[in-house]
């Protein structure tokens, strides 16, 4: 019988408990696939978890995992500083590492991948992005023959659940968020998810791997979805789009464009139909063309599926040791982005306002693709106003900003102008 | 500089030429990812291909590839007997093998995988199923922690192109086929594709890997799409379905169900929206849940992407040596399948016919989910007739057959009854 792969688990929360359960439930099949058994020999967590049946190997001290009898550390404690310490310690001690920690990699990925490379060790992170969808595997192995130039994804289930509930059921943002919290799809403080920080960390990790470059996480442009109104969802629907919280990364001659923001996704793309807590990542490769991967992006068992997949590779010896990127491309500022835009302009219902709006757009060379303006109910005690909804063709970021500022100064414009980018992925990606 | 991986290519058709091109165009990047260069040192094909710049290493004799200076044979000649000979010879000589040949694996996979296992060699076949979509990689590595119990796919681009053209553009089957041939998406003799044999070979390969069993290819139930009428496409659309040429494989306690046939796919599934020549495979895993993979299923470059991905793994030494399946599950006959059905019954427009139809269904305990009957234009010189379209709930195969036979004997039923299964994948698969 081959020597088992000896695992030390740090963190026994939802994912940790699921990893323990999965290794136990699928033990024989995993041993057959991996070529040897995979055994938890040490586990550490701040609070004991007697239900997991690990008492014999349990310790509250994380340092207990840096022991000779552990081949691979599974880091599931989250956060960055403590996680960085135990991962660095593990690699220095010659242990492989498997992690689900996107914040850790977004902040300290460079130094930790270097350590792993120097030690000829695995640093698996399939579980850090898009839950159980084997996207890291696809980028690293399945698409290894390609130069990837664009990727785009829905990689936060909280945001996607909220936007789907708004679109499918007509809920307001606040109601959809409350429902997400009730169902456990959103935290009590949902900022990290709905403001796009979680998605940005995942996008940075994907882009670094796909484009073979270091990515400065702080160079990712991030916007959340809390300003998306049910009215915008309806107008987008009418124009043939769904609004999604999208991460887009593009490799250009000038550097890497990486951004997370609400985006109108056309119905012609499968991505527009990815609903609820499902995640999806689209990757365009130079040889294969457009590919799409869809699946559960979070949850104990889906994430454990990814963690254990990495463990199987280490057990088999088929893991890939990290390789320092060939380059360190500059992160392009959002100013360089040009794409179509959705504009919703609250205007006083008087003659001339529309002409003034059209004139400003014309003077900025902004081409209009579609317009919706319908009568609005009269609000008590105020002048009647209507939203003028405009879909533009490609416009540069700075031009849109200038135009929106100028539009906002019109006397006939009565409130904040809503501006949402359109996902211009077009012919590159799998179409419905 | 590390020793190169020395490749011998058999077959220089569309895929072979693309592999040569891809290795040349991406040489440096591939060498960096693979840890060593990948070089074509021998090439063989029935007719010389001077445009490929391989004259120095070219031979018309396939046996020239069984040489000491070749580390890995890339088999791209297609067909089964000659391909089997050269693959067996390569493995016997200690060469790794990478193939795109589904017919070969469906017929001789068992014996060839055994040879590879005994020789501790790679037998890569990512390119044999779903073109550039890294589905074999996903099943083998990314989803290694799961027990897979269901998979379903659109794995033939010819059929999917035809059905999409019928649905989106209202073309007849014959016109859509002619257009597919004109565009090069269908062969002059399209039987292999439209009758589902190609899809069945791919499904057998996927099911064998996913369920860890030998699969008897002849046990796959196969039906083509040549009887699908534009009228059925429209009725399905009205009922909320798209008709796709689907391969479904299911692991049950009694054995493996594997079938290829036209199927009504509900709009709630992303699979229903996969259009044109794109392929898609849905896999349900015990830990991860439902996952979906979409991309180009054929073509020189997409297929070459998969071939070269396998080569990179061999070069890196991260390939997986085949392992004999744990079991050899029986293939279940189609009789055991139960699912909802679409029935189109051409009936004389007279009182009582509908009641007779309803009575027969009732006596067979078939529950009716939906009915469409509309007036039909009167045909000159014949009695007026209408199609009665019925969507049933779950019905067992044998019961449907008996019912359709009995319905066909009704005096009021004037022609062949159309029967199309509904893809009952439900909550298990990614929903729109």
């Amino acid at each position: 019988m081959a020597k088992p792969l000896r695992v030390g688990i740090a963190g026994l929360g939802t994912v940790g408990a699921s990893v323990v359960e999965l290794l136990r439930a699928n033990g024989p099949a995993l041993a057959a696939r991996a070529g040897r058994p995979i055994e938890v020999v040490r586990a550490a967590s701040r609070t004991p978890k007697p239900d997991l049946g690990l008492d014999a190997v349990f310790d509250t001290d994380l340092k207990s995992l840096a022991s000779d009898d552990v081949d691979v550390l599974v880091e599931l404690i989250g956060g960055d500083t403590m996680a960085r310490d135990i991962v660095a310690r593990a690699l220095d001690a010659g242990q492989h590492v498997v992690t689900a920690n996107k914040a850790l990699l977004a902040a300290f990925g460079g130094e930790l991948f270097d350590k792993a490379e120097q030690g000829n060790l695995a640093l698996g992170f399939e579980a850090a992005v898009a839950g159980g969808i084997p996207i890291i595997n696809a980028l690293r192995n399945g698409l290894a023959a390609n130069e990837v130039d664009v990727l785009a994804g829905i990689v936060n289930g909280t945001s996607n659940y909220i936007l789907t509930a708004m679109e499918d059921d007509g809920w307001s943002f606040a109601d959809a968020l409350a429902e997400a919290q009730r169902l456990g799809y959103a935290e009590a403080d949902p900022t990290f998810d709905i403001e796009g920080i979680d998605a940005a960390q995942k996008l940075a990790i994907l882009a670094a791997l796909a484009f073979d470059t270091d990515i400065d996480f702080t160079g990712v442009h991030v916007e959340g979805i809390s300003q998306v109104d049910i009215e915008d969802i309806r107008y987008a629907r009418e124009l043939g789009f769904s609004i999604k919280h999208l991460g887009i990364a593009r490799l250009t001659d000038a550097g890497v464009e990486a951004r997370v923001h609400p985006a109108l996704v056309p119905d012609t793309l499968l991505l527009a139909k990815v609903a609820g807590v499902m995640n999806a990542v689209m990757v365009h490769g130079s040889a294969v063309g457009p590919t799409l991967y869809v699946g559960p992006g979070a949850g104990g068992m889906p994430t454990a599926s990814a963690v254990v997949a990495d463990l199987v590779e280490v057990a088999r010896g088929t893991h890939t040791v990290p390789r320092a990127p060939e380059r360190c491309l500059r992160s392009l500022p959002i100013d360089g982005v040009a794409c179509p835009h959705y504009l919703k302009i609250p205007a006083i219902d008087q003659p001339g306002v529309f002409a003034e709006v059209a004139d400003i757009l014309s003077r900025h060379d902004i081409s209009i693709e579609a317009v919706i303006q319908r009568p609005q109910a009269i609000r008590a005690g105020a002048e009647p106003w209507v939203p003028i909804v405009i879909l533009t063709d490609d416009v540069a970021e700075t031009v849109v900003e200038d135009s929106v500022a100028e539009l906002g100064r019109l006397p006939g414009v009565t409130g904040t102008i809503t501006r949402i980018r359109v996902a211009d992925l077009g012919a590159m990606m799998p179409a419905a």
Side-chain angles (χ1 to χ4, degrees), chain A:
Chain A
M1 179 59 140
K3 271 179 27 175
L5 180 75
R6 300 165 304 173
V7 176
I9 299 189
L12 292 172
T14 309
V15 180
S18 298
V19 169
V20 171
E21 166 67 25
L22 190 51
L23 289 172
R24 196 173 278 149
N26 273 9
L30 288 169
R33 282 171 207 161
R36 52 172 168 155
I38 299 174
E39 282 173 18
V40 176
V41 299
R42 287 186 183 270
S45 167
R46 265 173 312 178
T47 50
K49 297 278 155 72
D51 292 347
L52 295 178
L54 292 171
D55 292 355
V57 302
F58 180 83
D59 199 314
T60 49
D61 184 358
L62 293 174
K63 293 199 188 63
S64 66
L65 301 172
S67 156
D68 275 353
D69 59 1
V70 170
D71 299 315
V72 53
L73 171 77
V74 174
E75 184 276 296
L76 302 172
I77 62 174
D80 48 19
T81 1
M82 204 180 304
R84 173 203 205 178
D85 286 349
I86 70 168
V87 169
R89 184 182 311 126
L91 293 169
D92 287 340
Q95 292 175 341
H96 300 283
V97 170
V98 171
T99 179
N101 194 335
K102 64 206 76 72
L104 174 72
L105 296 176
F108 304 117
E111 95 189 40
L112 295 173
F113 285 124
D114 281 348
K115 270 191 194 292
E117 185 177 14
Q118 283 156 32
N120 199 36
L121 299 162
L123 177 43
F125 56 99
E126 185 69 73
V129 182
I133 310 173
I135 184 62
I136 303 301
N137 209 283
L139 284 170
R140 172 169 275 170
N141 302 329
L143 301 179
N146 293 263
E147 296 311 297
V148 172
D149 62 334
V150 185
L151 59 92
I154 295 169
V155 289
N156 184 277
T158 305
S159 286
N160 203 42
Y161 177 85
I162 289 169
L163 292 171
T164 303
M166 292 174 77
E167 178 164 346
D168 288 359
D169 305 314
W171 293 33
S172 69
F173 178 86
D175 286 347
L177 171 58
E179 181 69 359
Q181 285 166 322
R182 195 182 69 76
L183 293 169
Y185 295 145
E187 310 278 341
D189 177 0
T191 310
F192 195 69
D193 294 310
I194 66 178
E195 291 306 326
I197 302 151
D198 173 79
Q201 290 173 345
K202 291 163 177 172
L203 185 72
I205 293 169
L206 288 176
L209 180 61
F211 306 152
D212 200 17
T213 174
D214 278 323
I215 291 273
D216 174 13
F217 165 67
T218 62
V220 180
H221 173 88
V222 188
E223 290 172 37
I225 58 162
S226 54
Q227 303 309 307
V228 175
D229 195 77
I230 182 65
E231 192 178 53
D232 300 314
I233 301 247
R234 291 192 189 120
Y235 279 121
R237 181 78 261 110
E238 193 177 334
L239 292 163
F241 297 83
S242 287
I243 296 182
K244 295 295 187 187
H245 201 183
L246 218 58
I248 299 175
R250 203 186 298 267
L251 179 65
T252 75
D253 293 331
V256 174
E257 178 192 304
R259 47 193 168 100
V260 172
H261 53 70
L264 268 67
V265 183
D267 288 343
T268 48
L269 294 186
L270 282 167
L271 200 65
K273 313 275 190 259
V274 174
V277 294
M278 295 297 272
N279 279 190
V281 182
M282 305 198 303
V283 182
H284 181 268
S286 54
V288 68
T291 58
L292 176 72
Y293 311 84
V294 188
M301 270 299 172
T303 312
S305 167
V307 170
V308 176
D310 278 348
L311 288 174
V312 169
E313 293 231 62
V314 175
R316 278 201 300 232
T318 57
H319 59 276
T320 304
V321 172
R323 182 177 54 80
E326 299 282 293
R327 50 199 178 185
C328 183
L329 301 167
R330 55 181 289 253
S331 288
L332 298 174
I334 192 72
D335 292 349
V337 170
C339 61
H341 276 75
Y342 160 96
L343 302 173
K344 187 177 72 180
I345 304 158
I348 291 174
D349 190 14
Q350 279 178 0
V353 179
F354 193 95
E356 288 174 311
V357 167
D359 180 61
I360 288 172
L361 295 177
S362 164
R363 281 191 286 99
H364 285 85
D365 266 319
I366 296 174
S367 184
I368 296 175
E369 175 72 16
V371 179
I372 302 175
Q373 181 188 315
R374 280 196 297 271
Q376 193 95 328
I378 294 174
R379 283 168 169 58
E383 289 210 51
W385 63 277
V386 300
I388 299 174
V389 169
I390 291 176
L391 195 69
T392 74
D393 281 338
D394 268 7
V395 198
E397 182 76 14
T398 46
V399 173
V400 163
E401 280 184 1
D402 289 346
S403 311
V404 167
E406 199 174 330
L407 287 164
R409 289 193 291 269
L410 286 173
V413 172
T414 67
T416 315
I417 294 169
T418 303
R419 159 165 110 89
I420 305 176
R421 295 181 191 83
V422 174
D424 55 334
L425 301 161
M428 273 193 289
M429 293 295 180

